[in-house]
Amino acid sequence: MVGQTNYGVRFYASFSIVVNGERGKSFKPQQGLRQGDPLSPFLFIIVANVLSTLLKREMASQSLIGFRMGRRCLVISHLLFADDCLIFSQADGKNCQSIMKIIKLFSDATGQAVNFEKSAIFFSPNLDPQSQRSICEILKIKPMEKDCKYLGILAMWGRGKKEALSFIRERI
């Protein structure tokens, strides 16, 4: 069932439980899941699989070109962790358009939205500043700051891993 709100289209679900092969009476949920609900990770996996499938499809059609760590390594297009998604691609307009298309399809299909305020983009130092600005404008994402942290650890280490992880030694 679909209902209209001031914010756009909202989807309403109804559920029924099958017990001993017989379907029970339908009911509508009254609220969402509580934080820490054991069902939450499974629901995330189902929703994240939609995004993963869209990214794989774009890679297969070569509309999205991922990142290769080395000559003999696999191409990586994305990594999913908890409720985060890292997308890897070549830095050009075609790939940016593909990413935006995927995000729109994903949002339309699942009702989930990307928080662009919490999102950031990292560029290779080989990419010129004008191209970096252009890509940030297309994707509506700000560049990652040098001291940006992810899960409490610096997101960009460089070659000094000993220095980047020194806080662990200090805490111990």
Side-chain angles (χ1 to χ4, degrees):
M1 182 187 324
V2 179
Q4 184 70 30
T5 68
N6 292 339
Y7 305 105
V9 176
R10 173 177 270 172
F11 296 92
Y12 298 100
S14 62
F15 300 95
S16 61
I17 298 173
V18 176
V19 179
N20 295 329
E22 291 195 31
R23 183 176 164 185
K25 192 173 177 183
S26 292
F27 62 94
K28 292 184 181 186
Q30 300 299 311
Q31 62 186 28
L33 296 177
R34 293 184 193 158
Q35 188 157 352
D37 190 299
L39 189 58
S40 184
F42 297 107
L43 292 175
F44 171 75
I45 289 169
I46 292 168
V47 172
N49 192 43
V50 172
L51 179 59
S52 185
T53 300
L54 290 171
L55 288 162
K56 287 177 187 176
R57 188 176 70 186
E58 290 295 304
M59 288 280 293
S61 71
Q62 297 184 338
S63 297
L64 180 66
I65 308 297
F67 177 75
R68 185 183 305 269
M69 297 286 282
R71 287 186 188 131
R72 294 182 222 160
C73 297
L74 293 173
V75 176
I76 300 171
S77 63
H78 62 288
L79 295 173
L80 301 170
F81 177 74
D83 60 351
D84 294 332
C85 177
L86 303 171
I87 299 175
F88 301 91
S89 78
Q90 290 183 355
D92 61 32
K94 178 185 169 199
N95 283 283
C96 292
Q97 296 300 329
S98 290
I99 290 169
M100 292 305 289
K101 176 180 138 186
I102 291 166
I103 290 171
K104 179 165 180 14
L105 282 170
F106 174 73
S107 295
D108 291 347
T110 65
Q112 300 294 306
V114 173
N115 186 341
F116 289 102
E117 293 295 316
K118 290 184 175 181
S119 300
I121 189 167
F122 172 77
F123 295 102
S124 162
N126 300 331
L127 189 65
D128 64 278
Q130 175 58 35
S131 296
Q132 291 182 20
R133 283 190 296 276
S134 174
I135 289 169
C136 286
E137 288 175 16
I138 292 169
L139 295 175
K140 300 176 186 91
I141 298 176
K142 63 186 179 295
M144 186 180 289
E145 296 175 16
K146 201 167 198 162
D147 61 347
C148 178
K149 291 186 176 184
Y150 177 70
L151 299 176
I153 298 175
L154 284 174
M156 294 184 285
W157 291 10
R159 298 208 182 266
K161 292 168 185 60
K162 185 175 181 180
E163 183 181 326
L165 296 172
S166 64
F167 75 94
I168 296 173
R169 177 183 278 173
E170 292 170 14
R171 285 192 171 176
I172 291 175

